[in-house]
Amino acid sequence: MKVSQDLVLDVSEVLLTEEQIGAKVVELGQQISTDYAGRQLTLVSVLKGSLPFMADLMRSISLPLRIDLMEVSSYGGTTTESSGLVRILKDLSAPIEGRDVLLVEDIIDTGLTLNYLLRYLKGKNPRSIKVCALLDKPARRLVEIPLDYVGFQIPDAFVVGYGLDFGEVYRNLRFVGVLRPEAYES
Ligand code: 5GP
């Protein structure tokens, strides 16, 4: 893996600009604020990829809410293929029983991670559970799961930025872009 000092050089195409992402997050936040008015909202985000999205989305929601964080690993290290194996590295820190949970995800690809997480969280008896994903990559879906809120549908490409990594790098890019194959093939 060869990372340029200027991370932008490793990106072949900007799919979503900072402005496009920002506008969409505000739109999602407004919709969620309307839909969850008067309810007991808990946002559950999945580290590390969803971190910027969660931080921006929670500030676009005008309702009282709680947040909690989980960390799972699905892709092992420097690979661009889902292993289908999900490991919980960090669990919720508070019970969600009786709460309206909105799972905040960075990207849904095969759907295996989401499928696992939904089953796991449903086992904790929330009042309701819905999903808000910034990016939806439907081309490679293996498990069909309805997504309640989606930012953008994107084509089948490996993307980085706005939280998404390759080998733990590129998360701090402000936009979402396609990684040059040279960056992960070398
Ligand atoms: P799934 O289980 O839906 O195949 O994959 C979900 C997880 O895989 C995401 O939370 C993310 O960590 C990772 N992932 C899927 N597609 C991409 C991608 O295009 N780029 C990056 N950086 N990670 C991805």
Side-chain angles (χ1 to χ4, degrees):
M1 180 180 169
K2 191 172 177 312
V3 180
S4 303
Q5 278 304 298
D6 181 354
L7 295 178
V8 177
L9 297 176
D10 293 344
V11 171
S12 59
E13 185 194 349
V14 175
L15 273 189
L16 301 166
T17 64
E18 185 178 358
E19 291 72 25
Q20 285 173 306
I21 297 168
K24 183 63 77 177
V25 172
V26 168
E27 198 183 297
L28 288 169
Q30 286 170 346
Q31 187 62 52
I32 292 165
S33 303
T34 305
D35 295 351
Y36 281 89
R39 309 212 357 226
Q40 304 274 305
L41 180 59
T42 299
L43 300 180
V44 173
S45 160
V46 188
L47 294 169
K48 302 169 192 159
S50 307
L51 192 62
F53 181 41
M54 174 71 155
D56 289 340
L57 183 69
M58 64 189 261
R59 288 176 293 170
S60 299
I61 300 173
S62 52
L63 306 172
L65 56 80
R66 294 183 193 172
I67 66 165
D68 210 334
L69 301 168
M70 291 185 69
E71 183 169 5
V72 301
S73 71
S74 45
Y75 286 15
T78 54
T79 163
T80 58
E81 293 296 319
S82 179
S83 65
L85 288 175
V86 181
R87 243 179 356 125
I88 295 182
L89 304 177
K90 185 209 168 296
D91 205 342
L92 295 174
S93 49
I96 53 168
E97 186 164 356
R99 307 230 8 129
D100 293 300
V101 172
L102 185 60
L103 183 56
V104 177
E105 271 280 22
D106 49 2
I107 184 167
I108 312 300
D109 185 13
T110 61
L112 292 169
T113 308
L114 179 62
N115 188 44
Y116 175 90
L117 279 172
L118 280 177
R119 276 195 294 167
Y120 179 77
L121 293 172
K122 279 178 187 165
K124 294 183 177 285
N125 300 318
R127 179 169 176 270
S128 69
I129 182 154
K130 290 194 174 186
V131 180
C132 177
L134 179 68
L135 306 176
D136 176 19
K137 204 156 67 169
R140 305 195 332 147
R141 194 73 95 254
L142 295 176
V143 197
E144 272 318 321
I145 301 165
L147 304 177
D148 304 283
Y149 303 92
V150 175
F152 305 91
Q153 279 207 347
I154 61 165
D156 184 10
F158 190 79
V159 294
V160 292
Y162 196 65
L164 291 163
D165 76 311
F166 178 67
E168 295 297 328
V169 187
Y170 306 103
R171 294 192 197 276
N172 52 327
L173 288 171
R174 290 176 178 272
F175 58 83
V176 170
V178 180
L179 191 60
R180 283 186 193 286
E182 302 92 274
Y184 53 83
E185 280 165 2
S186 54

